[in-house]
């Protein structure tokens, strides 16, 4: 959420808090790796979590669309200059 919120603010203002966004992306990546490891060691672990669950385009967007989900949103801020 931090990546998407800071990214959205930057989209609106034209000024991005790049260090905070990079830090949040790093943490996001760490947590997804941990989640994938849990899935490997405990495949019967119930979850609804997928990297395509949420998006912000001014508002929350359609749930479950991988082109606008959290993964796509995070990826769009990975290479801020």
């Amino acid at each position: 959420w931090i990546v998407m919120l800071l990214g959205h603010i930057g989209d609106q203002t034209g000024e991005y808090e790049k260090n905070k966004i990079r830090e949040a992306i790093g943490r996001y990546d760490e947590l997804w790796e941990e989640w994938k490891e849990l899935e490997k060691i405990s495949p019967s672990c119930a979850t609804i979590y997928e990297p395509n669950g949420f998006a912000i385009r001014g508002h929350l967007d359609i749930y479950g669309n991988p082109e606008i989900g959290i993964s796509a949103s995070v990826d769009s801020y990975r290479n801020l200059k």
Side-chain angles (χ1 to χ4, degrees):
W1 288 106
I2 293 170
V3 176
M4 293 190 314
L5 291 173
L6 290 175
H8 178 69
I9 291 168
D11 291 343
Q12 299 302 306
T13 65
E15 295 184 26
Y16 295 88
E17 293 188 60
K18 295 175 189 173
N19 288 336
K20 287 184 180 180
I21 291 172
R22 287 184 190 111
E23 184 178 305
I25 288 172
R27 186 67 178 133
Y28 169 85
D29 291 340
E30 289 172 8
L31 291 170
W32 272 115
E33 287 304 314
E34 286 180 25
W35 193 252
K36 288 189 265 183
E37 287 301 312
L38 174 61
E39 183 181 32
K40 286 180 192 174
I41 61 173
S42 185
S44 62
C45 181
T47 180
I48 60 169
Y49 298 110
E50 295 289 333
N52 59 356
F54 304 96
I56 292 181
R57 265 197 221 150
H59 305 284
L60 288 179
D61 250 315
I62 300 167
Y63 176 82
N65 183 338
E67 294 178 9
I68 62 170
I70 191 169
S71 184
S73 294
V74 169
D75 287 345
S76 72
Y77 299 109
R78 284 187 186 278
N79 298 310
L80 287 174
K81 299 204 189 272

